[in-house]
Amino acid sequence: MGRSFWLACLLAWATEQQAQPSLFSPLQQGVRGPVYCFLEDSVSSSFYIGGGLIGAYDMPLSPGIVRWDGAEFHNVGCGFEYDCLDTNTSQVLATPVRALEHWQGALYAAGDFQQSVGVSVNFIARWDGVDSLWKPLQNGLSGPVYSLRSYPDGLYAAGWFEYANDTLEVNGLARWDGSTWHKVHDLPKLDPNDINRINDLAFYQGDLYIGGEFGGTNGRLDIAKWDGTAWVDVDGGFLGVFSTVNKLEVHDGLLYVMGSFANYPPYGHPNNPGSGIVTWDGSIWNDLGGGTAGSSNASVYSNVWIRDTLYVSGRFTTIGGVPTGRIARWDGHRGCSLVPPDYFYPDIGPIGVFRDTLVVGGSFTVAGPDSINRVAKWVAGSYVDSCQVFVGVGPEHEDAQEPSGLSLHPNPAEEVVTVSRGGRPLPGVPYVVHDALGRLVGSGRTDVVSTLDVRYLVPGAYAVTVLNSQGAVFGQGRMIKH
C-alpha cells in the first residue's frame, strides 16, 4: 500500500509538471553548482555568472565564476579556491562568489572565498583580463562580502566583516580607491555587541543608505543613512524578529527597498511599511500594491530592471494577492507572477538581464516541464500570467463589468469602446491598457464622449484600468478585441 501511494504521488507530480508550460530555455547544459549573482557587460556583450558552481556541464571551467557570450561558456581567469581549470566534477564550491561589479576597466568578484590558485585574496579579488590570475586588494577584508557598488570615488564593498587590510576598522562598509582601503563616514558598530551585517548600499537624494540585518540605537533597524553629518534612522527602520533588508535600488526618483520583512504575523510587524518590497521617496513609504503580503515567507532577494519594469525573485509565494512561483514583476501599477506556483525545483535565486532578456539562476534542476541546470533565460511561451488586474476573459463575458463598477461597451469591440462606471460616463479620464501577458500596450485619456480607440490593438483579451487624478486605480474592466 505504501509503495502504491508513493508511486501515485510521483505520477501525479510528473503529470502536473508536464502540464506546465515551457517558459524558460537552458543556457547550453547549464552549470554545476548553485548560482548566486549575475553581471552583464554590455561593452564586451558578455554575461558573468557567479556562485558555488565549479564549471559548466560540458567542460571544466573557472570555479566560482564563468562567462556566457550568448552561445557558450568560457572560463574567467583561474576562478577561486581550486587549481586553475580544475577538472573535479564531484564538488560544489563551499565558498561561493556572491557579488560581481566592474570598476575602472577591471572585473571585481567578492563573496565567501579566500584564495585563488593558492594566493590569499580574502573575500574580494580583481581580474584585469590580461592573464589568468585574480589579484588581491591589499590584504582584502575580514569576512564575507554581499554587495559591490561602483561609484566615481571608488568601489564600495558591503558585507559581514569588521576590518579591511587586517587592521582598518570599517564595520561592514569599505571603499577601495584603486590602491588602498578607506573607512566610509566612520561607520560605527550599530550593535555594540555584534558586527555589522550589511547586505547592500545605495546613494539616494545625496545620502548614503545601507541595509542589512542589524539593530542599533536611534531606530537604526536594518536600514540607516548618512545624512552628511551622522548615521541616522530611516523612519524607524523595520521591526520583527526575522526582519532583514536584502537589496537597495534607486530608479526613477525612488529608493526601492527589498528584504525579509512583513507587516503581518507571525514573522512581521504591523508597523512595517509593507511586505517584501517597498519604495521610499525621502519621507513616505509605498507598499507597491501590497507587495508579497500573504506569503508564508515574504522575502525578496534579487531584482533587475528591464526598461521601466521591475523584476523580483525570492521566497515569496504571493505577489499583489495572487499566487506565484517566486518570480514576479512590477510595472508601476500592479504586481504579476511570471510562473505558476512550484515552477522551479528546488529553488530559484538571482535574476539578471542579458541583451534585454531576463535570466534566472539558483539551485533548480527542474523548471516546469523541463530539466534545466541552475541557469535559464526567459522565453515566455504561452503562459498567461497572474496579475492584480484580471487579464483573461472569455467570449461569454461580453459586456462584462468588474466588481469595481467599470463597464466597457461594446464588448467584444472592433474600433472604439465606451467607458462608464455605475452608469455614468467618464470623459477625459486617464487610462492604461494591458494585454494578456500583462504588458502595457496603450495609454491616454478618454475623449469627450467617454470612448477610447482600440483599432490599434491586435485581436485578443485586454484589461483596461482607469486612473484618478492622483494616478490611483479608479476602476478596472476587461474586454475582447475582435
Side-chain angles (χ1 to χ4, degrees):
M1 178 178 177
R3 181 181 179 186
S4 299
F5 172 79
W6 287 112
L7 286 174
C9 290
L10 180 61
L11 179 60
W13 178 85
T15 301
E16 179 183 355
Q17 294 303 109
Q18 289 299 320
Q20 292 185 345
S22 292
L23 306 177
F24 291 85
S25 66
L27 275 58
Q28 285 186 302
Q29 297 180 49
V31 295
R32 292 181 284 118
V35 173
Y36 292 153
C37 58
F38 295 128
L39 177 67
E40 182 182 26
D41 182 356
S42 57
V43 175
S44 65
S45 192
S46 296
F47 190 68
Y48 293 94
I49 302 169
L53 54 100
I54 57 170
Y57 262 91
D58 56 347
M59 65 188 73
L61 291 174
S62 42
I65 181 171
V66 296
R67 180 176 67 88
W68 171 255
D69 66 3
E72 59 184 1
F73 292 106
H74 303 269
N75 64 296
V76 183
C78 282
F80 303 100
E81 301 295 0
Y82 301 153
D83 292 335
C84 191
L85 300 182
D86 189 275
T87 58
N88 190 311
T89 60
S90 62
Q91 299 186 56
V92 171
L93 192 64
T95 51
V97 173
R98 296 187 182 275
L100 297 166
E101 185 63 291
H102 276 112
W103 186 67
Q104 291 192 343
L107 174 65
Y108 289 79
D112 294 0
F113 57 85
Q114 293 185 265
Q115 66 167 337
S116 176
V117 199
V119 176
S120 293
V121 293
N122 293 325
F123 307 104
I124 186 168
R126 181 185 75 253
W127 186 63
D128 56 19
V130 176
D131 54 37
S132 61
L133 299 179
W134 285 83
K135 298 175 175 61
L137 281 60
Q138 291 185 313
N139 291 331
L141 301 165
S142 64
V145 177
Y146 289 92
S147 177
L148 294 175
R149 297 279 189 171
S150 61
Y151 295 102
D153 65 337
L155 179 74
Y156 286 71
W160 296 18
F161 51 83
E162 190 171 3
Y163 296 99
N165 199 28
D166 295 332
T167 58
L168 180 67
E169 186 175 351
V170 293
N171 293 315
L173 184 64
R175 179 175 63 87
W176 174 255
D177 69 2
S179 59
T180 191
W181 287 104
H182 299 270
K183 299 179 181 180
V184 179
H185 303 307
D186 288 319
L187 178 65
K189 283 189 175 181
L190 300 172
D191 181 345
N193 299 316
D194 202 355
I195 65 170
N196 290 345
R197 294 181 170 91
I198 302 175
N199 295 330
D200 205 3
L201 71 143
F203 282 92
Y204 177 62
Q205 296 181 344
D207 297 328
L208 173 59
Y209 285 73
I210 56 173
E213 181 184 336
F214 50 79
T217 59
N218 197 27
R220 296 173 300 197
L221 302 173
D222 300 330
I223 187 169
K225 71 175 182 179
W226 173 259
D227 67 359
T229 303
W231 288 97
V232 298
D233 74 299
V234 180
D235 199 32
F238 293 89
L239 305 174
V241 176
F242 300 101
S243 66
T244 304
V245 170
N246 297 322
K247 296 285 290 183
L248 299 171
E249 196 76 47
V250 177
H251 184 83
D252 199 22
L254 294 172
L255 176 66
Y256 286 74
V257 181
M258 292 150 279
S260 304
F261 51 82
N263 57 8
Y264 58 92
Y267 303 111
H269 192 283
N271 290 341
N272 281 337
S275 299
I277 178 170
V278 294
T279 61
W280 172 252
D281 68 0
S283 59
I284 298 174
W285 295 104
N286 182 283
D287 71 351
L288 274 71
T292 58
S295 299
S296 55
N297 185 331
S299 300
V300 174
Y301 291 136
S302 183
N303 72 282
V304 69
W305 286 91
I306 301 180
R307 293 176 289 279
D308 284 326
T309 299
L310 174 66
Y311 294 80
V312 295
S313 64
R315 298 289 296 173
F316 56 91
T317 54
T318 299
I319 185 79
V322 297
T324 178
R326 298 177 177 173
I327 180 170
R329 69 169 180 250
W330 173 259
D331 64 5
H333 300 287
R334 61 181 181 174
C336 298
S337 173
L338 292 188
V339 298
D342 302 318
Y343 191 84
F344 292 97
Y345 180 82
D347 211 357
I348 186 176
I351 54 179
V353 59
F354 180 52
R355 299 175 183 172
D356 281 336
T357 298
L358 184 70
V359 181
V360 303
S363 60
F364 60 86
T365 54
V366 173
D370 305 308
S371 295
I372 300 180
N373 292 308
R374 304 176 182 91
V375 61
K377 62 181 179 179
W378 169 254
V379 295
S382 60
Y383 178 62
V384 178
D385 60 1
S386 179
C387 299
Q388 286 172 289
V389 177
F390 187 80
V391 297
V393 58
E396 71 275 15
H397 292 289
E398 185 172 335
D399 198 21
Q401 179 170 317
E402 289 294 286
S404 61
L406 187 67
S407 296
L408 305 172
H409 303 271
N411 194 354
E414 294 184 0
E415 296 186 353
V416 295
V417 170
T418 299
V419 183
S420 63
R421 183 181 182 196
R424 299 178 59 185
L426 299 173
V429 296
Y431 67 85
V432 292
V433 181
H434 291 83
D435 67 9
L437 292 177
R439 296 173 296 195
L440 181 65
V441 295
S443 63
R445 286 182 177 272
T446 58
D447 62 17
V448 294
V449 290
S450 303
T451 64
L452 58 94
D453 189 349
V454 296
R455 287 175 293 182
Y456 68 95
L457 298 175
V458 299
Y462 294 90
V464 177
T465 303
V466 170
L467 309 174
N468 64 19
S469 59
Q470 287 76 43
V473 174
F474 180 71
Q476 298 169 344
R478 52 192 182 180
M479 60 163 285
I480 292 291
K481 166 63 189 305
H482 275 181

